Amino acid sequence: MLSVKGIRLITVVTYWIAILLGPLVPWASLILTDVAVRHVPLAQTLHDFRAHLFAPGYNLFLIGILNTVPFLAFALLALFHLGMSPLEDSVRTRHRFAGIAGAGLAITAVSIWIHVTILLHPDAQGAIAYLFLPVVLLVLLPVGYVVGRLIGILLVQVNTA
Amino acid sequence: MRVLTKEQISLNLVGLAMCMALAAWWYWQSTGVQAVPALIEQLHDPDPSTRIVAADWLGDIGPKATAAVPSLLVLATKDSVQHANTTAAAALRHIDLAAARLVMAHYVPFLNVGDIQSRRTAGAVIGELGPVAKPAVPSLIALMHDPDELVRRNVLAALGNIGIPAGEVSNALFAGLRDPSALVRQAAATQLAFAVPLPRERVDEITAMLDQQDAAVSGLLRNALEKTRQGDAARVETFVLMIGQSTGREYALHQLARLGPTAIAAAPILITVLQDDRPMHRYLAVEALSAIGAGGGQTIVALTPLRHDPDPIVRESATDALAAIDSRSPALHNGARESPRVKP
């Protein structure tokens, strides 16, 4: 059983990690793909990343911002939904936590998968995926939440039984 | 009691707002004219791709990146990587026409040197300067019988990019269609298909050529013929609309300069472009008006102040255009000079 301080910490950490994950997922995917798949030295990859961050035609900063939109929505959901959860109703708090975890895992996994796929199979139309990705993740957010919450309800029932 | 108090939630929201403000400030500091000092540093980077990206970016910033001109000149003329030379040249044409002409003047003598690679690079770089390299057209045409096919290909691509004077350029491209090398013929056909308007009097000649060329060249020539089906008036109308949009303005002006007298309907809007902030736009508007010919007294009245334009290339072009119009219809010119200045 988590203490009040623990739940509070999880809520705030989830909120800030979600904000950081927004730009970090595309940027880290790019750097790690270059290093692990294309065997580019890390120093060279970081140098290229810095040079292309705002460069027209690359716009890695803009890609990071686009990816941040659904993560920002998730961060606000975590802050308000988890933060406004009644402390006296621990079951409901756990259900909410499971829903938030489901939504977070779903959007992070799909975001990483799409970014890595674009990088591994570069295509002239790849930029279109960057535009649609925020929409896909925003749609996935409630789906992930519902799935996570259902799993949470089931786990609570199993534990109670 | 809730997990977080209202104050704690507000504090986290304020933190988010501060992060967003920081990201916006970072973006503002790293783009537009603010990015110029860092980009100038990157032009000296040991990594060629960094130099190329920086040069390309400076070209996008345009005339506000004037501080980068000396470094771009070095990159265009001294760098050992041809792609860096061509990218710097392309950037200079958007930043400073006079600097672009310096690059042209640097490379024209290399068109006649013994080293093949120097001739290839010279052709490629001059081509990237676009219409501002108009004075290099005779030197490029003289190189059309070079023994190296890559030199000939680069020369034809350069002529297509320069595009003016339209008559000389299209004659050279037609000659290129008869080159023994398929690579060179394809370069000529590509220019006619996508960049250089096909003169109507050449349509029959091209049609007759279709069966004699290989499939790739024939496909490109069919594309060029397809373009002629749209009437000149409709094309001019399209370009006039494009001038109204900042993104397509340079392309539309260049196309009108290539069309020549058939673009007479565009003269009124070209006159308004003579007041444009970008020297390249003013230069192309002057070239287009010059190619159209005497568009009336209003054209001469509008061109006359450009003899004192802050940009020396625009000044030179305006002076040449006025002289050309004068030689075609001196009475009109004299009449217009005496008339009071009207705002276009």
Side-chain angles (χ1 to χ4, degrees):
Chain A
M1 188 73 184
L2 276 169
S3 64
V4 174
K5 206 175 165 185
I7 296 171
R8 224 167 249 164
L9 188 70
I10 286 174
T11 307
V12 174
V13 166
T14 306
Y15 170 75
W16 283 105
I17 284 182
I19 292 166
L20 288 175
L21 274 178
L24 280 184
V25 166
W27 296 348
S29 301
L30 177 77
I31 291 165
L32 292 175
T33 310
D34 268 358
V35 173
V37 181
R38 301 201 176 91
H39 309 292
V40 180
L42 182 63
Q44 179 65 43
T45 307
L46 292 173
H47 178 84
D48 290 348
F49 174 76
R50 192 176 147 265
H52 297 162
L53 193 55
F54 297 97
Y58 295 90
N59 262 319
L60 301 179
F61 185 83
L62 191 67
I63 293 169
I65 294 295
L66 281 172
N67 197 63
T68 302
V69 173
F71 278 86
L72 214 56
F74 170 71
L76 292 171
L77 178 75
L79 185 71
F80 284 100
H81 195 55
L82 218 51
M84 302 287 265
S85 190
L87 275 173
E88 57 278 10
D89 190 349
S90 65
V91 175
R92 199 199 287 186
T93 305
R94 271 186 280 174
H95 288 170
R96 286 187 180 189
F97 183 76
I100 292 290
L105 285 172
I107 65 165
T108 308
V110 171
S111 178
I112 292 172
W113 174 58
I114 291 181
H115 278 290
V116 170
T117 306
I118 294 169
L119 293 164
L120 290 180
H121 309 286
D123 185 74
Q125 273 77 43
I128 298 170
Y130 292 128
L131 292 175
F132 283 103
L133 183 59
V135 181
V136 171
L137 296 182
L138 282 171
V139 171
L140 199 65
L141 196 63
V143 177
Y145 178 84
V146 170
V147 172
R149 185 144 183 168
L150 285 174
I151 292 170
I153 291 168
L154 283 173
L155 286 175
V156 169
Q157 277 175 355
V158 168
N159 285 341
T160 317
Chain B
M1 196 179 169
R2 310 279 177 185
V3 171
L4 293 174
T5 63
K6 279 184 180 172
E7 288 74 24
Q8 285 168 328
I9 288 176
S10 302
L11 202 66
N12 280 289
L13 288 174
V14 169
L16 173 62
M18 285 172 73
C19 284
M20 287 167 83
L22 195 69
W25 178 80
W26 187 24
Y27 181 81
W28 182 77
Q29 277 291 309
S30 310
T31 54
V33 73
Q34 292 80 16
V36 172
L39 291 173
I40 292 171
E41 269 182 46
Q42 285 180 27
L43 290 176
H44 304 284
D45 196 280
D47 175 36
S49 69
T50 304
R51 299 198 296 274
I52 290 163
V53 168
D56 190 34
W57 191 347
L58 285 161
D60 268 19
I61 293 169
K64 288 178 181 167
T66 316
V69 167
S71 302
L72 281 169
L73 273 171
V74 173
L75 196 69
T77 56
K78 303 268 194 293
D79 201 281
S80 56
V81 180
Q82 185 182 305
H83 193 186
N85 304 142
T86 53
T87 314
L92 281 169
R93 90 186 227 204
H94 296 294
I95 299 169
D96 186 340
L97 299 184
R101 278 276 169 90
L102 286 177
V103 175
M104 184 199 78
H106 172 85
Y107 277 104
V108 165
F110 285 97
L111 292 170
N112 300 309
V113 296
D115 176 44
I116 291 172
Q117 189 52 46
S118 296
R119 297 203 302 277
R120 288 175 184 169
T121 303
V125 175
I126 292 171
E128 286 300 322
L129 295 169
V132 76
K134 182 185 165 191
V137 166
S139 307
L140 288 166
I141 290 173
L143 212 65
M144 278 191 53
H145 300 290
D146 193 277
D148 182 66
E149 65 173 3
L150 284 178
V151 171
R152 297 201 301 279
R153 185 202 63 178
N154 285 1
V155 160
L156 285 177
L159 286 167
N161 283 340
I162 296 167
I164 48 174
E168 281 92 324
V169 168
S170 59
N171 285 342
L173 292 174
F174 273 89
L177 289 173
R178 293 193 170 82
D179 195 280
S181 159
L183 183 78
V184 178
R185 290 200 303 276
Q186 193 163 347
T190 304
Q191 292 301 325
L192 290 168
F194 301 114
V196 178
L198 186 65
R200 290 202 174 275
E201 61 272 19
R202 296 278 199 171
V203 168
D204 291 342
E205 201 181 329
I206 289 281
T207 311
M209 249 185 218
L210 288 175
D211 296 333
Q212 301 155 19
Q213 299 281 359
D214 56 60
V217 175
S218 291
L220 289 164
L221 292 179
R222 280 197 182 87
N223 203 335
L225 285 170
E226 193 64 35
K227 282 198 305 180
T228 59
R229 293 210 179 132
Q230 188 188 18
D232 283 336
R235 292 173 73 189
V236 170
E237 200 178 325
T238 307
F239 295 138
V240 166
L241 286 172
M242 285 174 79
I243 288 175
Q245 296 160 356
S246 58
T247 47
R249 188 172 296 167
E250 187 175 320
Y251 171 79
L253 289 166
H254 198 180
Q255 289 299 318
L256 289 170
R258 284 164 157 160
L259 278 173
T262 53
I264 185 112
I269 195 161
L270 288 169
I271 288 171
T272 65
V273 179
L274 295 175
Q275 314 284 327
D276 196 284
D277 288 341
R278 289 211 170 208
M280 177 56 104
H281 293 169
R282 297 200 300 278
Y283 169 73
L284 283 171
V286 172
E287 289 295 330
L289 285 166
S290 174
I292 288 167
Q298 206 183 0
T299 302
I300 297 162
V301 170
L303 280 173
T304 305
L306 266 76
R307 288 185 303 185
H308 308 289
D309 192 274
D311 190 282
I313 306 303
V314 178
R315 281 203 300 271
E316 182 193 298
S317 178
T319 308
D320 290 349
L322 284 166
I325 293 170
D326 195 24
S327 67
R328 282 193 289 252
S329 50
L332 178 65
H333 191 184
N334 293 336
R337 266 197 300 215
E338 283 154 18
S339 65
R341 192 185 170 195
V342 290
K343 202 174 167 79

